[in-house]
Amino acid sequence: MAEQAEDQEQDVSKSAVQQPAMDAPGGGGPVAAESSEEPEAGDEAKAGVESPSGNRSVEIGNFRVFMDLRLAEFDMGHCKAYSADNLRRNEGSAFAIVADPALPTRFDLINFFTGVHLAGQIDLLDSEIAHWPPFGRKTMVLFYEKPKGGRVAVKSEKKKLAIDEHDLGSVVVEPLMNVLQALGEKGLAHRNIRASNLFFADPLREKVALGDCAGGPPGYDQPLVYETTARMSADPAGRGIGNGTDDLYALGVLLAELGIGHLPLNKLSDQEIMDLKLSKGSFQAIASQERLPLILIEPVRGLLCDDPEERWGFNELNAWIDGRRTKPVQANSEKRAARSQNLSGRDYYTVRALAQGMAKNWVASLAPLRDGTIEIWLRRGLADNDRAKALADAMRQLQWAGADKRSAEDVLIARAILIMDPSGPVRFKGFSSMVDGFGYMLSYDVQHGRGPQRFADVVVRDVPAFWFGRQEGFSPEVHRLQQLYKNLRYYIQQQSAGYGYERCLYATVRNQHCLSPMVEQEFVVEISQLLPALEIAAAEASEDTWPVDRHIAAFIATRLEDDVEGQLMAMQNPSDEVEYSRAIISMLAIVQWRHGPDNLQNLSHWVARLMEPAVKVFHSKARRERVENEIPKLAKRGNLVELYNLINDEQERRKDQSEFVEAVAEYSEAESEVFDLESSGPARLELAEKVGQQAAAFASTMIALLTVSALFLMHMF
């Protein structure tokens, strides 16, 4: 039975990706612009209370959410907005943002913004994990104060700009700087700055406020033009947490969009935008295609500087708002080669453009690497001897690859891409993610049918270690990521429960809910929510399944403050049912002891049914019978700690062991005597015969003497 626990893996669908559906988990995809059309209410709603007005509603925490009253005006990327009433406050108005359960939310930003009024950011009133009837499961719901001025329309119906270009400094830049400074003090980044996520904070529309940034992976909903040249080639889910310089870059694109009245480069495809930004630089890419207002040229140029070290910061922005001159930012487009490098019929003139081309043409990239064409191009076309030397070193390592040539060739391509674009994402065949976005990328792949294999391939082949080696200087953030990565590589190499990709997932994404099929629908994010979810699952659990699978073991190991490595070690051998069952019961008991609840009758009965192997630890039949009789009684009380103590009572176990040793000694002694008796039988018979003969001879002699004596006496007398 224990072996079946190893097979309790999450059922990841291998089917084709479904079309996005508003009221279906996993249906929300990254969007470039918000739709102004009013979507219909979800027909899937099966639950909820009908309000006096006739609208279906559901009570979540201190709010009542109306499932029929969509507020498309306040949709924030893939998250949909619904009308909500605050049950504890009469003043003000609120709305609910329903997150996609197949995309992790941002734990740190939810904690930072909840209950805090910060100028430049709409107020996050509360957040709850609750059952959402249209989804038919639980998900994260965020409650915001409705901004009083509505959404910022980039251009009105009269083709008039929403905000006068001369007022952008005071109306937009000042409040947004306030948010970015507050986030920067905590080492956080917004990563959701864009025109479609901008609202007027007051009825007079004198200040703006940013919308939600916690309802999904960082940068997931950003149009590609809003992403820096370093992050734009990553998959949306893997764009990474980033930092304040990424937010300042997005602020520059936001100013450009508000100044020209539409999304910059909106007529180009994503690939064309990437090519243009890589060839000309971000500012020139936009300036060459759009007519920027004269007053915005200086701040947009400074904020869109592709070198983060040279990019404008708060001092430069304050100087621009005050009308003071700032140091002009020099053009920072990449060095172009005198001649192109051709790949798959396309010519490339810069190293980063070639890196992107190699990622898109993976197989075709191998030939020019192996024959030295790219190395020669780096030396002669760009005079970049450092990159050429690094590429030559990578080629030499290919010669030591051994039998696994195909894998080594893939690693060579991945390293070559990082040599040419060290600040960009880690790219390995179809995988493309920033190192600080690995967790979100893994979560997306697992929950959207791709599985963990792409992530595992990257980590097992140690590609991120090469990325760390290509970073220049010291950065505390890079150092922290490097330490985390060392743990990930260890986890992914372990095959037992509590490790593997599951441990990597929960270690890298703090707000990732547990994906065990037993509790996935309950959206368990905190360790305190795990046992109540298992209590629900226990009501329908089959008798031959264990309440801890790979996902739950990894979730406990990551979220629980206690060290459970000993239990995980015991779970490495499912064939040892005694130790395996004791380890599982021990982990669950620790969770209940730390986080409750006190009464878990369904789960206790489930565990009680599986305690038979653990009872075998006692040698005494009487003691086993006593323990077996106690188990149902304790199960009724719903206390896993008492159940565990019953089979793990050290005093009883020592006493049982002592009695067992004494019994074994007594048995051995008795068995030795029996053996002696059985083994010495013939000798004893011979001895008995000899003794008998001697006794008979003695007896006959004595009888003869007595007889002679008697006859002599009779003759005399």
Side-chain angles (χ1 to χ4, degrees), residues 289-332:
Q289 302 290 320
E290 310 287 359
R291 295 189 61 182
L292 287 171
L294 186 61
I295 194 174
L296 294 180
I297 290 179
E298 187 178 8
V300 172
R301 186 200 302 273
L303 292 169
L304 295 189
C305 178
D306 289 323
D307 183 355
E309 298 297 327
E310 297 293 328
R311 191 171 299 153
W312 269 23
F314 300 128
N315 291 335
E316 290 81 3
L317 284 172
N318 281 321
W320 173 71
I321 292 172
D322 295 340
R324 293 182 279 116
R325 292 185 60 84
T326 59
K327 180 181 178 180
V329 175
Q330 302 298 322
N332 59 349

Side-chain angles (χ1 to χ4, degrees), residues 229-376:
T229 53
R231 296 181 182 272
M232 66 181 180
S233 54
D235 290 341
R239 288 171 174 169
I241 298 171
N243 53 44
T245 62
D246 298 294
D247 283 338
L248 289 169
Y249 182 97
L251 175 59
V253 181
L254 170 64
L255 291 177
E257 181 169 356
L258 293 174
I260 63 179
H262 62 79
L263 182 69
L265 309 180
N266 61 343
K267 295 181 180 179
L268 303 180
S269 67
D270 284 352
Q271 185 60 53
E272 290 172 334
I273 293 174
M274 283 192 285
D275 293 341
L276 191 61
K277 290 171 76 171
L278 289 175
S279 62
K280 293 187 174 183
S282 296
F283 174 73
Q284 286 299 330
I286 292 178
S288 65
Q289 302 290 320
E290 310 287 359
R291 295 189 61 182
L292 287 171
L294 186 61
I295 194 174
L296 294 180
I297 290 179
E298 187 178 8
V300 172
R301 186 200 302 273
L303 292 169
L304 295 189
C305 178
D306 289 323
D307 183 355
E309 298 297 327
E310 297 293 328
R311 191 171 299 153
W312 269 23
F314 300 128
N315 291 335
E316 290 81 3
L317 284 172
N318 281 321
W320 173 71
I321 292 172
D322 295 340
R324 293 182 279 116
R325 292 185 60 84
T326 59
K327 180 181 178 180
V329 175
Q330 302 298 322
N332 59 349
S333 58
E334 283 197 66
K335 184 177 180 181
R336 290 176 62 86
R339 60 184 182 87
S340 66
Q341 170 62 50
N342 188 273
L343 181 64
S344 295
R346 184 168 180 179
D347 292 332
Y348 296 92
Y349 289 89
T350 65
V351 288
R352 296 179 77 178
L354 179 59
Q356 179 64 11
M358 292 172 65
K360 295 292 184 182
N361 301 277
W362 191 266
V363 176
S365 301
L366 182 61
L369 285 172
R370 300 197 67 162
D371 62 20
T373 302
I374 294 180
E375 181 187 346
I376 294 172

Side-chain angles (χ1 to χ4, degrees), residues 23-25 42-47 56 67 82 131-137:
D23 292 324
D43 295 331
E44 299 90 336
K46 303 294 183 184
R56 289 174 300 168
M67 296 178 290
Y82 295 82
H131 180 79
W132 183 243
F135 289 170
R137 55 164 297 167

Side-chain angles (χ1 to χ4, degrees), residues 33-96:
E34 309 288 344
S35 172
S36 60
E37 297 180 2
E38 184 76 23
E40 296 180 1
D43 295 331
E44 299 90 336
K46 303 294 183 184
V49 179
E50 187 170 310
S51 66
S53 61
N55 295 312
R56 289 174 300 168
S57 64
V58 58
E59 190 169 317
I60 300 176
N62 298 324
F63 300 84
R64 181 172 297 281
V65 183
F66 299 95
M67 296 178 290
D68 292 336
L69 298 181
R70 283 274 289 107
L71 298 177
E73 178 186 1
F74 297 107
D75 285 350
M76 299 186 184
H78 67 280
C79 298
K80 306 305 177 185
Y82 295 82
S83 178
D85 283 344
N86 192 330
L87 301 179
R88 291 194 175 184
R89 289 175 52 190
N90 293 326
E91 70 278 7
S93 56
F95 67 97

Side-chain angles (χ1 to χ4, degrees), residues 34-256:
E34 309 288 344
S35 172
S36 60
E37 297 180 2
E38 184 76 23
E40 296 180 1
D43 295 331
E44 299 90 336
K46 303 294 183 184
V49 179
E50 187 170 310
S51 66
S53 61
N55 295 312
R56 289 174 300 168
S57 64
V58 58
E59 190 169 317
I60 300 176
N62 298 324
F63 300 84
R64 181 172 297 281
V65 183
F66 299 95
M67 296 178 290
D68 292 336
L69 298 181
R70 283 274 289 107
L71 298 177
E73 178 186 1
F74 297 107
D75 285 350
M76 299 186 184
H78 67 280
C79 298
K80 306 305 177 185
Y82 295 82
S83 178
D85 283 344
N86 192 330
L87 301 179
R88 291 194 175 184
R89 289 175 52 190
N90 293 326
E91 70 278 7
S93 56
F95 67 97
I97 287 290
V98 180
D100 186 344
L103 290 171
T105 54
R106 299 178 67 185
F107 174 83
D108 49 359
L109 290 183
I110 291 176
N111 282 351
F112 179 77
F113 283 122
T114 300
V116 175
H117 176 72
L118 184 64
Q121 176 71 39
I122 63 173
D123 293 343
L124 177 58
L125 304 175
D126 203 356
S127 62
E128 294 282 349
I129 294 173
H131 180 79
W132 183 243
F135 289 170
R137 55 164 297 167
K138 288 186 178 181
T139 188
M140 179 71 74
V141 182
L142 306 173
F143 297 96
Y144 284 98
E145 185 76 27
K146 192 178 294 184
K148 297 179 173 59
R151 185 185 293 276
V152 174
V154 176
K155 186 175 287 188
S156 66
E157 296 179 357
K158 299 180 180 179
K159 296 185 178 182
K160 181 180 178 181
L161 295 176
I163 305 171
D164 187 88
E165 59 194 44
H166 295 88
D167 297 330
L168 288 174
S170 60
V171 177
V172 176
V173 177
E174 284 183 349
L176 266 57
M177 282 176 57
N178 183 61
V179 176
L180 298 187
Q181 286 176 318
L183 289 171
E185 291 173 359
K186 299 295 183 180
L188 303 173
H190 194 281
R191 299 291 282 117
N192 225 15
I193 297 175
R194 62 180 185 275
S196 59
N197 196 34
L198 201 62
F199 301 86
F200 286 110
D202 58 284
L204 299 178
R205 300 190 168 190
E206 294 179 343
K207 297 289 182 182
V208 300
L210 288 166
D212 172 69
C213 60
Y220 181 76
D221 290 314
Q222 293 290 82
L224 187 135
V225 71
Y226 273 86
E227 290 294 293
T228 63
T229 53
R231 296 181 182 272
M232 66 181 180
S233 54
D235 290 341
R239 288 171 174 169
I241 298 171
N243 53 44
T245 62
D246 298 294
D247 283 338
L248 289 169
Y249 182 97
L251 175 59
V253 181
L254 170 64
L255 291 177

Side-chain angles (χ1 to χ4, degrees), residues 684-697:
R684 286 176 177 275
L685 289 175
E686 183 179 350
L687 178 62
E689 183 178 357
K690 185 176 181 180
V691 171
Q693 290 174 350
Q694 292 175 349

